Amino acid sequence: MLHRKIKAGSALTNSVKISIRDLYKVFGADPQTALEHVLNGASKADLLEQYSHVLGLSDINVDMRESEITVIMGLSGSGKSTLIRHLNRLIEPTQGRIEVDGDNVLAYDEAQLRTMRREVMSMVFQKFALLPHRTVAENAGTTLKVRGVAQREYLLEAHKWLSRVGLEGFDKHYPHQLSGGMQQRVGIARALTSNAPIMLMDEAFSALDPLIRTDMQDLLLELQTELQKTIVFITHDLDEALKLADHLVILKDGQIIQQGEPQHILLNPNDTYIEDFVSDINRARVLRVRSIMTTLDGTNAPSNAHGEVDFDDTLESLISTSGGDTSHTYLVMRDGAPVGTLDMKNLVKALVPRAASEAGARKY
Amino acid sequence: MATYDFLFDNLGLRAWCDAGKTGDGPLSMADLLAKANGPKEASIWDLPFPSLDALNDACGRVAQSRDLTKGVENAFLAVKNPLQFVLDPITQPLSWILEFALYTFDVTPWWLMFPILMLVVFLASRSFRMVGLVVACLGFLALIDHYDYAMQTLAIIFVCAFLCVLMGVPIGIAMSRSNTLQRLTIPVLDMLQTLPAFVYLIPLIFLFSVTEPKLYGIAIILYAIVPVIRLTDLGIRLVDEEVIEASDSFGMTDRQKLFGVQIPLALPNIMAGVNQTIMMSLAMVVIASLVSAPGLGVLVLRGIRNLELGVGLVSGLGIVLLAIILDRVTKAALNRINAAQKN
């Protein structure tokens, strides 16, 4: 969990790497005309029914910060895959602005776009998208090969990254000889070999079975601690989103319904759709002490505390420390200094989703 | 009196018809028979379809059906000379290549040809069993003194199949990239595939001299090129979309994508097309013996013409053996590619 601490400390200082402004995407024969209808207030359903155009994305504004994992979450059809493909222009927007390091990506000509895809962004795919006729090392080196790097060099670089993702000794194998999890490791090694600062991951772990998926999430977090890439991660799995996200964007029907720090979204869902979403997860495992503590605000640390807990501990670990006693109060420490207090009663309240308590109130 | 006289009478065209009458042309066989049998009693059961010939009986101004065939013939003869002027020099290299291949296969002694073929087979299939099969089949053909004929057939197939691949793969690639081109090409391919093999020969005989190898070369190529074009197009269109997307996302140029991703991934389909192309050239090379293509087909033709049953059947067996060799070797090569690309 080292990664989390770095993040919490540096979140305020990270500059915006990718900025998306007023992005719209309409699919159909005449998107520009259809877009006019959308701007005049037509809904997705109206657009489909009256003008037979599909509204893919509507009014998207996101800032993705450097060295952070931005997770875009939504169910199928929410437009999340469409959104990530706009970043490297595999899909062209109907209207809007996309800036990478302050540069307008949409103004790039073909050569500039190619350079950006080669050197600035690399992508990991849901179904791996490896080349079946090339060895694992050749696959991992593809991103360098397209730039014209000599074979000996790119194989060496590929070997380095393959070892880094735990595939030492598989260089000469073919993709079909590997399991799904291993194939996706090759996919990640391929993206890392390009040494691009931005990594786009399109449902990268969705095709893997649950245990392997957890392994891969841990691998990603571990790599991120070291490499500090700007990662855009697409998923439909809330647990995965909460585990990985520094910044969480929730999409529904092509619109952003809430974005922000995942803990914040979990505690303050602003939409019934999100409440439904978050009501099923294990809050004790996801929520952290820092999200529910009372800050000290210059007052002295209270003397009646039953012990000290870390700023970044999960509630689950705190419950096990306290032995379940709700009368305890703990002092929250960060880097050795007290920053707040936590009453166990507040912890218990935080475990109940807001939607559930309201539903309960109505029932009795 | 003709059946449809009333039609022209009622329309008031009788005068026009008679004015245009230029005397009876040459009589057709049907006319002669009708004359010999005398006039028949008119009956509803004998009502002829108002075809051109029936209408011509009533009105001399209407063209006869034989004018159509005559017209087609004249039209073809009219464009023949300019067409020949253009096509002859273009296709001349084909004659040279075929002559060269036939000459090479002819002068290479059998004890050199066998090892060469064995090596080719091994390189393609990487299987000693396949080499054994080829040696057994060719050995048998040589034993019954059909070796020279078989080599001539093989030479023609090598040249034609190679040219088919050389032209067919680029055409297929172009088709896979443009839907318009695909829409325009497919009817042509359909026509080439359904046109009876003999029909190819008719215009070709008029365009080129029957003694020239290019005549049968063109016929074989036109007939056999279809599968390799179709399967190249299909193969490239079937390449996994996510892999193409990945190639784009890594900034591949179109060229890198074509040679690094699309063609290698389409290779199993392209090889299936090559296999079909080779088999179809073999089918056509037998028919092409009608227009002086040498090889086993000549023996088959002799069997038919002279009713030499044994000659025809044995050379037919030789063709089957060649077909087995060519099919098995290309399929073995195909399987090797498939195994390497398993997903």
Side-chain angles (χ1 to χ4, degrees):
Chain A
M1 284 302 137
L2 180 62
H3 146 77
R4 291 286 156 195
K5 286 182 190 164
I6 293 168
K7 280 309 140 54
S10 57
L12 294 172
T13 56
N14 283 347
S15 57
V16 174
K17 186 84 177 167
I18 307 171
S19 150
I20 302 174
R21 286 285 166 270
D22 307 323
L23 187 75
Y24 287 86
K25 175 68 188 178
V26 179
F27 294 101
D30 184 8
Q32 288 301 340
T33 317
L35 181 66
E36 293 299 314
H37 300 305
V38 176
L39 295 176
N40 291 335
S43 74
K44 183 172 178 156
D46 292 343
L47 195 71
L48 185 61
E49 207 166 289
Q50 292 173 28
Y51 309 103
S52 52
H53 277 63
V54 176
L55 182 57
L57 292 172
S58 169
D59 194 20
I60 304 287
N61 288 283
V62 188
D63 282 333
M64 300 172 179
R65 290 179 183 277
E66 193 162 6
S67 313
E68 283 192 1
I69 303 182
T70 302
V71 175
I72 299 169
M73 202 206 66
L75 299 180
S76 32
S78 61
K80 54 193 190 304
S81 288
T82 311
L83 178 54
I84 201 172
R85 279 165 176 70
H86 275 85
L87 300 180
N88 56 3
R89 279 178 61 193
L90 287 175
I91 298 178
E92 300 284 343
T94 312
Q95 184 179 306
R97 266 181 91 74
I98 299 170
E99 287 177 4
V100 174
D101 293 329
D103 247 15
N104 185 8
V105 173
L106 301 176
Y108 283 175
D109 62 22
E110 214 169 299
Q112 286 173 307
L113 180 61
R114 203 151 46 228
T115 311
M116 184 194 74
R117 287 172 176 177
R118 286 177 180 182
E119 288 165 19
V120 183
M121 285 183 192
S122 55
M123 198 159 175
V124 182
F125 292 84
Q126 181 175 8
K127 280 178 261 145
F128 325 135
L130 302 176
L131 299 175
H133 63 293
R134 300 249 177 90
T135 63
V136 164
E138 283 168 341
N139 263 296
T142 312
T143 41
L144 286 182
K145 191 187 173 188
V146 295
R147 291 187 214 168
V149 175
Q151 185 176 27
R152 205 160 42 93
E153 250 171 87
Y154 75 69
L155 285 183
L156 209 66
E157 190 70 9
H159 174 78
K160 186 181 103 188
W161 286 110
L162 284 170
S163 315
R164 187 67 193 76
V165 300
L167 283 179
E168 180 110 52
F170 285 93
D171 288 29
K172 296 218 162 62
H173 284 59
Y174 281 89
H176 67 85
Q177 296 168 311
L178 269 51
S179 70
M182 288 159 97
Q183 289 191 26
Q184 192 56 298
R185 282 171 199 258
V186 181
I188 292 175
R190 176 170 65 177
L192 292 173
T193 306
S194 81
N195 207 18
I198 300 175
M199 248 171 103
L200 309 177
M201 305 184 76
D202 180 21
E203 301 231 24
F205 305 148
S206 300
L208 307 173
D209 60 54
L211 278 179
I212 308 273
R213 198 186 307 169
T214 311
D215 280 353
M216 297 296 284
Q217 289 161 357
D218 293 340
L219 172 74
L220 182 67
L221 288 176
E222 187 197 322
L223 286 168
Q224 176 64 357
T225 315
E226 184 187 319
L227 303 172
Q228 298 285 300
K229 303 252 181 201
T230 305
I231 298 178
V232 182
F233 193 101
I234 298 281
T235 182
H236 60 250
D237 178 354
L238 185 63
D239 286 316
E240 183 168 79
L242 291 170
K243 180 169 178 181
L244 299 176
D246 295 309
H247 184 78
L248 179 60
V249 179
I250 299 182
L251 271 187
K252 183 194 174 194
D253 292 338
Q255 281 177 315
I256 295 180
I257 46 177
Q258 192 169 9
Q259 61 175 317
E261 214 258 315
Q263 305 263 312
H264 179 79
I265 293 181
L266 198 59
L267 291 169
N268 308 289
N270 68 359
D271 185 287
T272 49
Y273 177 76
I274 302 178
E275 279 173 7
D276 282 349
F277 242 127
V278 300
S279 62
D280 276 342
I281 58 159
N282 183 346
R283 297 165 74 90
R285 186 168 297 162
V286 177
L287 286 176
R288 287 166 199 285
V289 168
R290 64 178 144 90
S291 309
I292 58 165
M293 69 178 188
T294 318
T295 6
L296 278 180
D297 281 340
T299 55
N300 287 332
S303 49
N304 62 345
H306 289 79
E308 291 177 357
V309 293
D310 190 86
F311 181 77
D312 266 319
D313 277 351
T314 62
L315 301 190
E316 199 173 49
S317 70
L318 184 52
I319 293 170
S320 89
T321 316
S322 70
D325 191 335
T326 51
S327 66
H328 288 190
T329 303
Y330 288 88
L331 193 58
V332 181
M333 307 296 285
R334 180 176 179 191
D335 302 329
V339 289
T341 57
L342 179 64
D343 191 333
M344 283 301 284
K345 290 195 180 69
N346 285 339
L347 184 151
V348 175
K349 278 185 207 156
L351 290 181
V352 184
R354 199 175 64 191
S357 64
E358 281 167 9
R362 272 198 300 275
K363 204 176 281 175
Y364 299 107
Chain B
M1 269 334 263
T3 322
Y4 289 101
D5 274 347
F6 71 93
L7 191 65
F8 295 95
D9 294 344
N10 289 343
L11 287 172
L13 292 172
R14 176 53 49 203
W16 173 75
C17 284
D18 290 341
K21 203 151 191 170
T22 51
D24 293 318
L27 285 174
S28 71
M29 197 53 151
D31 293 336
L32 279 172
L33 282 172
K35 264 196 180 156
N37 293 339
K40 266 204 292 187
E41 224 174 294
S43 146
I44 189 73
W45 298 108
D46 293 329
L47 182 73
F49 186 84
S51 67
L52 285 180
D53 280 351
L55 293 176
N56 176 267
D57 283 344
C59 174
R61 281 228 176 179
V62 178
Q64 279 180 293
S65 286
R66 65 181 175 207
D67 293 335
L68 175 70
T69 42
K70 188 91 189 143
V72 170
E73 190 175 317
N74 286 335
F76 184 76
L77 289 176
V79 297
K80 183 194 141 189
N81 280 331
L83 209 58
Q84 221 169 8
F85 184 74
V86 178
L87 286 181
D88 231 17
I90 293 177
T91 52
Q92 198 53 43
L94 181 58
S95 278
W96 297 334
I97 298 169
L98 279 166
E99 270 160 11
F100 173 75
L102 285 167
Y103 174 76
T104 313
F105 273 65
D106 188 42
V107 294
T108 312
W110 65 270
W111 44 264
L112 207 58
M113 194 49 115
F114 268 62
I116 293 173
L117 286 178
M118 282 160 70
L119 185 70
V120 170
V121 170
F122 184 74
L123 288 180
S125 66
R126 300 287 153 94
S127 144
F128 287 109
R129 272 186 58 193
M130 211 51 75
V131 175
L133 175 78
V134 170
V135 170
C137 290
L138 287 181
F140 174 73
L141 286 173
L143 185 70
I144 58 171
D145 285 305
H146 281 54
Y147 174 79
D148 287 339
Y149 294 108
M151 282 304 124
Q152 286 166 345
T153 302
L154 219 49
I156 296 172
I157 289 173
F158 275 5
V159 170
C160 292
F162 177 72
L163 290 176
C164 281
V165 173
L166 204 66
M167 295 185 290
V169 170
I171 295 175
I173 291 169
M175 268 173 78
S176 71
R177 304 189 138 206
S178 150
N179 285 331
T180 322
L181 188 63
Q182 192 196 33
R183 244 194 342 268
L184 294 176
T185 316
I186 279 183
V188 178
L189 296 181
D190 287 341
M191 190 195 75
L192 287 176
Q193 214 164 19
T194 44
L195 214 58
F198 288 104
V199 179
Y200 284 102
L201 298 177
I202 298 168
L204 291 175
I205 291 169
F206 280 86
L207 279 176
F208 306 109
S209 152
V210 182
T211 52
E212 279 177 304
K214 67 181 170 193
L215 170 54
Y216 59 79
I218 293 170
I220 295 169
I221 289 172
L222 280 180
Y223 186 67
I225 200 171
V226 180
V228 74
I229 296 179
R230 270 193 210 279
L231 283 159
T232 303
D233 173 42
L234 180 76
I236 290 182
R237 280 173 188 266
L238 282 184
V239 171
D240 185 359
E241 217 154 289
E242 205 177 33
V243 176
I244 295 298
E245 207 171 41
S247 315
D248 284 333
S249 81
F250 298 134
M252 283 197 190
T253 58
D254 281 353
R255 211 183 149 74
Q256 288 173 326
K257 205 162 64 176
L258 180 66
F259 291 106
V261 180
Q262 288 173 309
I263 291 184
L265 294 193
L267 208 53
N269 273 313
I270 296 177
M271 281 304 292
V274 171
N275 169 276
Q276 286 302 302
T277 286
I278 290 178
M279 300 316 286
M280 286 176 75
S281 343
L282 181 64
M284 193 63 181
V285 80
V286 176
I287 293 169
S289 62
L290 284 169
V291 286
S292 79
L296 290 166
V298 173
L299 292 181
V300 176
L301 203 62
R302 199 175 105 197
I304 297 171
R305 263 206 301 248
N306 304 353
L307 293 180
E308 294 180 46
L309 180 64
V311 173
L313 286 181
V314 170
S315 49
L317 175 72
I319 290 167
V320 171
L321 290 181
L322 274 191
I324 291 175
I325 296 174
L326 290 169
D327 183 54
R328 291 299 141 83
V329 172
T330 45
K331 280 224 179 97
L334 172 63
N335 287 338
R336 217 155 51 80
I337 295 167
N338 275 339
Q341 292 207 358
K342 202 164 48 180
N343 262 316

